Amino acid sequence: MSDTHAPHYERLIERARQLPAATCAIAHPCDEASLGSALEAARLGLLAPILVGPQRKIREVAEHCGLDLTSIEIVDTPHSHASAAAAVERVRCGQASLLMKGSLHTDELMHEVVARDTGLRTGRRISHAFIMDVPTYPEPLFITDAAINIFPDLETKADIIRNVIELHLGLGLGTPRVAILSAVEQVMPSIPGTIEAAALCKMADRGQIVGGVLDGPLALDNAISPEAAKVKGIVSPVAGRAQVLVVPDLEAGNMLAKNLTFLAGADAAGIVLGARVPIILTSRADSARSRLASCAVAMIYAHHLARTAPLL
């Protein structure tokens, strides 16, 4: 995937470089992709990394790949489970303002994040947001949740929306236009997701969800295509020009994001929201630009959170 077609990412990365580097605990960076991206982010001034993992293995990877670990702090741990726990503890004790996944399973890291007594929980449900740079779309396209909540109920969807609204605002992108997706744009009792979409919009009307403009249910076409919305006779501030797509479940979101990535040439940066700090989740399939964009998004948002009230 080409790294040259991502103007939205370039703007985010350049903006992040104007801010002081954020200290980031990287859990188990024991392969070239995770270690290399962390060090590249450090070189660009996005992160001040703390590498948490088996020191011998990290140094072997660095030597094999020609990566320089001079002046980089390493916290030695015996294995990936310990790496996740130690990285989370660095955040809990205030020594890091970001957390980043290295070459361990997402479940291992998130298990430590959500641990009741030692994790990074807040009163908000944890969720994931992709920030997509789609060549054919005029602005960044947020997709949520495609990585954490499998079958979110109404209350969870409300928190997913609150999280992504705060991210959009925190990145300085303004009040987001939020489309709650389904297969159709009418409320149909036979499709429960359409009822939940309508309920979420009413919650926004009543001030239970604030900071964004919501509409739903909307099918994907009339959420992102002005022509499709016009043909269907849908008139709203969101239809045809959504900035955030709220998917009905993880499978739908995951397929949508990967469809855009592998069939439409999009890049997919992403972070986890709703914890004490932003969490950078990377995949081995991510492009180098997507990894850097994820770091930039998390870093900008961490600075925003530091200036505002913590999540309730």
Side-chain angles (χ1 to χ4, degrees):
M1 204 68 61
S2 170
D3 291 339
T4 62
H5 75 269
H8 306 311
Y9 285 0
E10 294 295 345
R11 286 192 287 271
L12 285 169
I13 291 168
E14 285 307 310
R15 182 179 165 202
R17 295 185 70 181
Q18 307 307 310
L19 299 169
T23 303
C24 180
I26 297 120
H28 209 71
C30 295
D31 66 0
E32 181 178 3
S34 59
L35 182 58
S37 59
L39 295 179
E40 177 64 8
R43 186 186 71 80
L44 292 174
L46 303 178
L47 303 178
I50 302 172
L51 308 180
V52 184
Q55 181 168 193
R56 180 178 175 181
K57 191 169 185 179
I58 292 172
R59 293 195 180 280
E60 286 175 353
V61 171
E63 183 177 359
H64 177 74
C65 300
L67 301 173
D68 184 7
L69 296 179
T70 303
S71 303
I72 303 295
E73 180 181 357
I74 301 176
V75 177
D76 191 25
T77 60
H79 46 65
S80 58
H81 293 292
S83 300
V88 167
E89 178 56 28
R90 285 285 170 137
V91 174
R92 279 184 61 85
C93 67
Q95 296 180 27
S97 57
L98 291 175
L99 180 64
M100 182 176 180
K101 172 183 172 288
S103 57
L104 75 173
H105 291 296
T106 298
D107 287 350
E108 287 184 273
L109 182 61
M110 295 309 298
H111 175 78
E112 297 299 329
V113 169
V114 302
R116 186 168 300 277
D117 296 324
T118 58
L120 303 175
R121 285 178 176 270
T122 67
R124 186 73 60 77
R125 180 65 65 97
I126 289 173
S127 63
H128 181 273
F130 278 118
I131 301 92
M132 309 288 298
D133 195 315
V134 186
T136 56
Y137 207 67
E139 51 196 325
L141 189 62
F142 290 56
I143 298 175
T144 190
D145 178 349
I148 300 293
N149 295 285
I150 300 173
F151 295 113
D153 58 16
L154 180 64
E155 185 176 359
T156 301
K157 286 181 179 179
D159 268 355
I160 288 170
I161 294 170
R162 293 180 185 112
N163 287 343
V164 76
I165 287 173
E166 290 178 6
L167 174 63
H168 200 276
L169 293 169
L171 293 178
L173 299 176
T175 301
R177 299 183 294 273
V178 181
I180 305 166
L181 296 185
S182 184
V184 296
E185 59 277 355
Q186 291 99 14
V187 176
M188 300 178 63
S190 58
I191 305 179
T194 65
I195 299 174
E196 290 190 344
L200 290 163
C201 291
K202 185 52 65 177
M203 290 172 72
D205 290 343
R206 296 289 187 266
Q208 293 172 267
I209 300 172
V210 299
V213 180
L214 276 60
D215 193 11
L218 289 172
L220 178 61
D221 59 346
N222 47 59
I224 61 174
S225 167
E227 293 79 11
K230 183 177 180 180
V231 167
K232 291 292 182 71
I234 303 171
V235 179
S236 85
V238 176
R241 52 199 296 265
Q243 296 164 303
V244 175
L245 303 178
V246 180
V247 297
D249 56 47
L250 182 146
E251 287 181 309
N254 192 274
M255 286 186 277
L256 174 57
K258 288 180 178 176
N259 186 319
L260 290 172
T261 299
F262 291 99
L263 293 179
D267 279 299
I271 66 171
V272 172
L273 307 164
R276 292 191 187 183
V277 300
I279 302 170
I280 305 164
L281 286 189
T282 56
S283 166
R284 285 172 293 180
D286 289 345
S287 69
R289 186 59 59 189
S290 291
R291 289 172 178 270
L292 288 177
S294 296
C295 293
V297 167
M299 186 253 215
I300 294 169
Y301 192 47
H303 279 280
H304 168 77
L305 293 176
R307 296 193 304 267
T308 59
L311 292 173
L312 298 177

